Structures are given as structure tokens and as C-alpha cells.
């Protein structure tokens, strides 16, 4: 544990701004003398006391509730004091200053009452909860995800992770992996015993079961990561195809300016929408075309930059202009460029807009004929061949179908009751586990398995699993994770 983790800390634990209630939190070892100095009396553990909070000169700063949680029965595992006052910024700053001042005041021994008390860093209270084994790292991350949850589904999933649902999955995997490692390493350590673990202990079956379980957990973890992070969807197409209108229709608000003038959108307009609780970060971009206007050219260059960084691209066509050879040719050129520049894993969804300007039969015929101009790979990406998706951003017809297509592109499956929140690093860690188990599987099936290599792959797989819950985690990673928390949490 780093030296700074031994310092007592204090911070305002509620969000900035005015509110009905604000909280100042102190955490550290042996803070009971500070509690008595601040509150004027000793407090009963875990019992709220209504009392005045006084400045050094005896004048009241405020009246409120004080709660004292002696270690280890507290959020951080240390002694914790919470002062709950009225939520005005000035009041809370005065209370914070009073805590720091009282800590430096002399005790009867002539020494500071609580030496070293300092302002907490972002996420430091939760970091201490992790370091003191109150929660594991996956649960700590779930706390931040619960605070940041933007949908009911995300909040429920974060709550499941916080209660340990995800961690329990990881621990079950680890226990099975440790059992298999024990058999392999026993053979290495005691070759005279002639332990034939390959057949007697069904090592083949154990490893196959491990691999199948990892795949199942990874699938649920991908769904959890999708709930937390969503995907970036870029709307691309020629000017006046209706990109801004489509963004407005999906968002349900007039976010982007819409005019009949080609090139109205000069820069990206972004909005996060939610479909069945999944966040989709949708970006409207400048129309793609050759232009002599310097400002528009910059906007087009930025559009291609956004497309290159997209998780999925929505390629919008104007049904009313598909019969124009120049327009159709330009769309084909855009499709070819998308196919060249985007990885095969990034899907491109073809959408035909302005169906309201044609009869239903004309719209179906025009979109079907237009779809033939695009290759299967360019039209649908890894999802395969797709039927023409026809809609009207103006009237809203076809938007529900588009929303379901966007969910499918994101890889979302209807949320099961047991879905838990997860992060990209969890998915990456499980991928590493899968890779090591695949190598172990290959090694196990050669004629003369090298058991030392097999044991090493199993050890590396366990190390990747431990990184999820923090049982094996670098200090650098901890710094990155907890620095994203708010101060006071």
C-alpha cells in the first residue's frame, strides 16, 4: 500500500451546487478524537446525532446530523465520519475547512489531533474500500457505473455487478482453473508418483468445460459493456440526403439545422440516444462530395475522420434522386471508399430516406433497384446481405425498423434478468483468458504434451482473470480507474 493510503482524508461527498443536504466525509485510522472535537461529544457508532457544527470560535456553522462508523464496519474499512448539513456550497466549504483546522489543533499530548489529514483525491474513498477488502475491483467500477448510469437497464445491471454477480462468475472460473493447475503442477512436482492426470482427472473434459464457460461469460460481459459504453454510429451520405433530419427524428429534438440548401451541415453534430436501454452515440456529418468551399472541405474531412473511428456507419441514400445517374454514381463511389477504408468488422447499414415523397410501390422498387448497385460486403458488412431499409425521417415511418437494425448492428440481445454491467477492459481480459486456454488446449492434444508449457498457459489465464477483480492489478491501472471517480466517492 502506498504511503498516501495511510493519510486520513476528507472531502465533500455530494455533488457540486446547491441542494437540500450536503455531506462532508472523513476517513482514516483512529479519528475518534477528531469526531469528539468537531461534534462536542463522543458519538455512538452507527447512530445519527442531531447537533450544531461549530467553528473554532464556538459560533455555529450549521445544524445537522453526524454519523460515526468505527472500523472495520464502514464503507472504506477505516473509521468514517459523515457530517450531513444543509447543501449550500459555502456551508460545506466552511465545514470542510473546519475539519482540516480541527485536525491540526493540539490535543492534550501537545501533538496535532489528527496529523496528516488532507483533501481526498478523486475516487480515494472507494479505492480504500478496495484496498481494505470491502469490495473487489469489479465492484468498485460498478459503483462509478451506477452513478453514471443513464438508463434504467444500465442502473439495474450496475447494481448487480455491485452486489457481486460478475465477480462471482469470475471466482467460479478461477476456482475451476486453479483446480486444473493443481493437477498439472502436481505431476510436475512429483513425477515419481506417476499421476496420470490426463485421464484419471479428466483434464481434457475440465479444460473443455472451462473454455465453454469462458465463452458464455464473455458473451454476457460484452452485453454488459455495450450497456455501459454503447456504440458510435456515424450517419454518412451525400448532401441533402436527410442526415440531419434523421438525427433529429432519432433524438426526438431539433438538434441539427435542416434546410433544402446542400452543404448546410459543416461540422459534426452528436447526440446520444437510447434504444431499449442501450446508448447509441449518433453523429451527423457533413455531406460527402467534392467541394471548392474551404469550410465545407474541412467539414467533409472531419466527416471521414468520424467515419474511420465509428463502430458502425449508417449510409443514407435519397430515394428521390437515385434515378439520377450522377447521384447514383456518387453513392457508389462513397460505398467503394467505405469498403476500402473500414475494417471488415465495422458494419455499414444502407438506408433509403424520403419514402414520403414516393408511393409505397415506387419506394420499394426504387430502393430494390438501387440496392443492386452495391456489393453485399459494402451494403451489410459482416452481417451479410440485407433487405433495403426504407424510411421517412420526415414522417417517422420506418424508424422503429431502423432502431431494431441499429441494435442488431451493436450486437445487442434482449437483456436477460442476470445481465451485469461490464467494461471494455473486462472483455479484453476474458479474451486473453480464452487465448491462453486455446493454447493450452492445443498443447494438451499433442502426442507428448509439454506439461510445463501447459502449466504456464493456465497460470497466465488465471492472472488475466485476477486482473478483473483486482487480485492481480498494477498500481498504474488503479490510478486510471479511480481517477475517473468524482471527489468524495
Amino acid at each position: 500500500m502506498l504511503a498516501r493510503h495511510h493519510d486520513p482524508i476528507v472531502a465533500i461527498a455530494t455533488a457540486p451546487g446547491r441542494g437540500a443536504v450536503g455531506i462532508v466525509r472523513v476517513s482514516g485510522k483512529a479519528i475518534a478524537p477528531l469526531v469528539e472535537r468537531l461534534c462536542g461529544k463522543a458519538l455512538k457508532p452507527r447512530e445519527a446525532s442531531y447537533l450544531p457544527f461549530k467553528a473554532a470560535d464556538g459560533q455555529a456553522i450549521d445544524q445537522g446530523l453526524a454519523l460515526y462508523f468505527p472500523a472495520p464496519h464502514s464503507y472504506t474499512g477505516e473509521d468514517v465520519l459523515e457530517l450531513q448539513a444543509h447543501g449550500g456550497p459555502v456551508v460545506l466549504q466552511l465545514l470542510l475547512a473546519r475539519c482540516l483546522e480541527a485536525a491540526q489543533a493540539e490535543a492534550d499530548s501537545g501533538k496535532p489531533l489528527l496529523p496528516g489529514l488532507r483533501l481526498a483525491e478523486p475516487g480515494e474513498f472507494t479505492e480504500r474500500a478496495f484496498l481494505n477488502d470491502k469490495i473487489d475491483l469489479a465492484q468498485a467500477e460498478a459503483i462509478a457505473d451506477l452513478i453514471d448510469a443513464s438508463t434504467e437497464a444500465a442502473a439495474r445491471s450496475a447494481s448487480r455487478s455491485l452486489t457481486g454477480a460478475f465477480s462471482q462468475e469470475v471466482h467460479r472460473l478461477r476456482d475451476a482453473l486453479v483446480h486444473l493447475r493443481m493437477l498439472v503442477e502436481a505431476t510436475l512436482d512429483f513425477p515419481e508418483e506417476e499421476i496420470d492426470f490426463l485421464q484419471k482427472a479428466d483434464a481434457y473434459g475440465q479444460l473443455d468445460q472451462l473454455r465453454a464457460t469462458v465463452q458464455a461469460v464473455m458473451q454476457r460481459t460484452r452485453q454488459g459493456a455495450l450497456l455501459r459504453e454503447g456504440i458510435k454510429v456515424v450517419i454518412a451520405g451525400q448532401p441533402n440526403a436527410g442526415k440531419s433530419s434523421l438525427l433529429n427524428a432519432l433524438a426526438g429534438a431539433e438538434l441539427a439545422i435542416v434546410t433544402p440548401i446542400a452543404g448546410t451541415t459543416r461540422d459534426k453534430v452528436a447526440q446520444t440516444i437510447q434504444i431499449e436501454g442501450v446508448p447509441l452515440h449518433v453523429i451527423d456529418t457533413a455531406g460527402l462530395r467534392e467541394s471548392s468551399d474551404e469550410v465545407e472541405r474541412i467539414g467533409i474531412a472531419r466527416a471521414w475522420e468520424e467515419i474511420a473511428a465509428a463502430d458502425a456507419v449508417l449510409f443514407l441514400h435519397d430515394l428521390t434522386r437515385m434515378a439520377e445517374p450522377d447521384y447514383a454514381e456518387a453513392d457508389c463511389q462513397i460505398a467503394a471508399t467505405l469498403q476500402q477504408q473500414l475494417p471488415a468488422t465495422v458494419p455499414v447499414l444502407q438506408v433509403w430516406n424520403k419514402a414520403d415523397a414516393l408511393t409505397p410501390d415506387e419506394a420499394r422498387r426504387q430502393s430494390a433497384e438501387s440496392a443492386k448497385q452495391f456489393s453485399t460486403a459494402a451494403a451489410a458488412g459482416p452481417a451479410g446481405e440485407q433487405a433495403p431499409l426504407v424510411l421517412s425521417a420526415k414522417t417517422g415511418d420506418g424508424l422503429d425498423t431502423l432502431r431494431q437494425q441499429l441494435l442488431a448492428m451493436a450486437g445487442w440481445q434482449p437483456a436477460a434478468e442476470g445481465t451485469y454491467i461490464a467494461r471494455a477492459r473486462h472483455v479484453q481480459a476474458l479474451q486473453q483468458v480464452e487465448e491462453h486456454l486455446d493454447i493450452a488446449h492445443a498443447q494438451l492434444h499433442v502426442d507428448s504434451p509439454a506439461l510445463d508449457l501447459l502449466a504456464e498457459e493456465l497460470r497466465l489465464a488465471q492472472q488475466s482473470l485476477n486482473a478483473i477483480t483486482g487480485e492481480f492489478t498494477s498500481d498504474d491501472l488503479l490510478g486510471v480507474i479511480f481517477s475517473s471517480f468524482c471527489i468524495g466517492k
Side-chain angles (χ1 to χ4, degrees):
M1 184 180 291
L2 299 177
R4 71 180 182 86
H5 294 143
H6 296 286
D7 298 337
I9 55 175
V10 60
I12 297 172
T14 41
R18 293 176 175 81
V21 177
I23 298 174
V24 173
R25 177 182 290 158
V26 183
S27 180
K29 296 180 180 177
I31 70 169
L34 177 66
V35 173
E36 190 167 350
R37 179 69 62 87
L38 289 170
C39 300
K41 65 177 183 179
L43 299 181
K44 293 182 180 180
R46 293 171 294 282
E47 183 175 305
S49 299
Y50 181 69
L51 45 77
F53 303 134
K54 295 183 179 180
D57 60 5
Q59 293 187 15
I61 298 172
D62 195 5
Q63 295 245 356
L65 296 177
L67 294 101
Y68 175 50
F69 304 89
H73 305 296
S74 70
Y75 178 71
T76 64
E78 302 173 332
D79 289 350
V80 171
L81 172 67
E82 286 193 356
L83 304 177
Q84 300 184 8
H86 293 96
V90 175
V91 172
L92 295 178
Q93 287 295 335
L94 287 172
L95 276 178
L96 182 64
R98 175 58 181 148
C99 290
L100 292 167
E101 179 187 39
Q104 297 306 314
E106 289 188 359
D108 294 338
S109 63
K111 296 180 179 180
L113 201 63
L114 188 62
L117 180 66
R118 60 172 174 81
L119 294 175
E121 298 177 7
E124 194 167 2
F125 289 98
T126 303
E127 184 178 17
R128 292 191 178 198
F130 163 69
L131 293 171
N132 291 324
D133 295 324
K134 304 294 290 186
I135 53 176
D136 64 31
L137 192 55
Q139 290 173 295
E141 290 170 309
I143 292 171
D145 294 335
L146 183 58
I147 293 171
D148 293 337
S150 58
T151 68
E152 181 181 348
R156 290 182 180 277
S157 298
S159 180
R160 292 188 193 101
S161 288
L162 179 55
T163 58
F166 182 36
S167 300
Q168 290 166 12
E169 295 259 25
V170 173
H171 289 155
R172 282 193 288 269
L173 271 173
R174 185 198 60 193
D175 292 345
L177 189 52
V178 167
H179 184 262
L180 184 55
R181 280 188 66 193
M182 177 188 68
L183 294 173
V184 176
E185 293 179 8
T187 303
L188 290 171
D189 292 339
F190 304 102
E192 66 278 4
E193 298 293 333
E194 297 182 353
I195 300 176
D196 185 9
F197 82 99
L198 295 178
Q199 294 182 358
K200 291 183 180 180
D202 189 25
Y204 295 100
Q206 288 189 46
L207 185 54
D208 287 341
Q209 181 61 42
L210 260 173
R211 294 171 71 210
T213 305
V214 167
Q215 290 177 357
V217 173
M218 190 184 300
Q219 176 60 30
R220 288 195 292 275
T221 304
R222 285 196 179 102
Q223 296 293 291
L226 187 60
L227 260 184
R228 178 185 182 272
E229 299 170 6
I231 65 167
K232 178 180 177 181
V233 179
V234 175
I235 305 176
Q238 294 188 62
N240 269 359
K243 299 183 297 299
S244 297
S245 297
L246 182 57
L247 173 64
N248 292 343
L250 288 171
E254 296 296 320
L255 303 174
I257 298 173
V258 177
T259 75
I261 303 172
T264 297
T265 302
R266 298 296 185 96
D267 204 352
K268 69 177 183 180
V269 180
Q271 176 69 16
T272 297
I273 65 173
Q274 297 163 5
I275 305 175
E276 295 185 13
V278 179
L280 271 70
H281 314 294
V282 184
I283 299 175
D284 174 28
T285 57
L288 304 176
R289 66 173 178 179
E290 295 292 332
S291 176
S292 58
D293 185 305
E294 183 62 23
V295 176
E296 186 177 1
R297 287 172 60 189
I298 293 173
I300 293 170
R302 290 182 179 178
W304 281 112
E305 290 173 0
E306 292 294 338
I307 290 169
D311 297 312
V313 175
L314 199 161
F315 186 7
L316 199 63
H317 309 279
D318 183 348
L319 270 174
T320 64
R321 290 188 284 168
M322 293 309 300
E324 301 173 12
D326 290 345
Y327 184 87
E329 177 60 26
D331 263 7
C332 288
Q333 290 177 1
I334 293 172
T337 305
L338 289 173
Q339 190 174 5
Q340 293 171 0
Q341 294 189 2
L342 291 177
T345 53
V346 177
V348 179
L349 181 63
Q350 305 280 343
V351 179
W352 280 264
N353 187 29
K354 302 186 182 180
D356 57 287
L358 304 173
T359 66
D361 288 341
E362 289 174 335
R364 283 192 294 269
R365 178 179 55 79
Q366 190 68 271
S367 60
E369 292 177 356
S370 175
K372 295 177 182 178
Q373 301 177 49
F374 305 101
S375 67
T376 299
E385 188 173 357
Q386 126 196 13
L389 200 167
V390 180
L391 58 78
S392 169
K394 182 178 179 180
T395 66
D397 289 342
L399 284 183
D400 287 341
T401 301
L402 175 60
R403 292 187 180 99
Q404 294 306 311
Q405 289 271 13
L406 288 172
L407 283 180
M409 288 172 69
W412 177 250
Q413 298 175 356
E417 185 60 29
T419 302
Y420 40 72
I421 207 78
R423 297 190 173 200
R425 80 170 191 90
H426 302 150
V427 176
Q428 293 168 358
L430 287 170
Q431 287 173 339
Q432 292 171 357
V433 173
E434 187 177 44
E435 290 169 3
H436 290 305
L437 292 182
D438 286 345
I439 297 174
H441 181 267
Q443 181 62 44
L444 192 58
H445 284 77
V446 299
D447 292 337
S448 299
L451 297 186
D452 54 344
L453 297 179
L454 177 60
E456 176 64 8
E457 291 301 330
L458 295 177
R459 184 188 71 81
L460 292 173
Q462 182 183 345
Q463 183 173 293
S464 296
L465 273 180
N466 288 343
I468 294 175
T469 54
E471 293 165 75
F472 176 83
T473 307
S474 69
D475 287 337
D476 288 343
L477 179 58
L478 292 183
V480 170
I481 289 173
F482 288 107
S483 65
S484 65
F485 281 55
C486 54
I487 294 176
K489 196 63 180 177

